[in-house]
């Protein structure tokens, strides 16, 4: 088995794309468009290549149940502000 890399959400900004997509603190982001990430930094590379207004399908776990959220990119964030 390959290791599962993910980013755990610790806080959701009010009126953010994450809140609109109904993501919650404790959710663990694991991939995009059905593809599981193989390294911890894949989300940042995907976001870096995205443009304002792009839609992104995020795979995540909530209470160990796989789910998908569709969010719109509204601004660029650095890894330090995303954590």
């Amino acid at each position: 088995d390959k290791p599962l890399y993910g980013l755990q959400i610790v806080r959701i900004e009010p009126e953010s794309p994450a809140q609109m997509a109904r993501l919650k603190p404790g959710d663990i982001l694991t991939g995009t468009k059905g593809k599981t990430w193989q390294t911890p930094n894949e989300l940042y590379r995907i976001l870096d290549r995205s443009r304002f207004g792009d839609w992104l399908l995020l795979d995540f776990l909530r209470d160990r149940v796989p789910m998908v959220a569709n969010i719109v990119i509204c601004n660029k964030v650095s890894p330090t502000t995303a954590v």
Side-chain angles (χ1 to χ4, degrees), residues 4-7 28-39 41-50 55-60 67-71 73:
L4 175 68
Y5 292 102
L7 299 170
I28 301 172
L29 306 177
T30 58
T32 47
K33 300 179 185 174
K35 183 180 177 201
T36 303
W37 298 324
Q38 299 303 311
T39 67
N41 294 319
E42 285 189 61
L43 176 61
Y44 300 117
R45 284 194 293 268
I46 291 166
L47 291 175
D48 190 49
R49 288 180 262 161
S50 299
W55 286 90
L56 181 63
L57 287 175
L58 282 177
D59 303 314
F60 67 100
M67 303 180 94
V68 177
N70 196 2
I71 67 164
I73 305 298

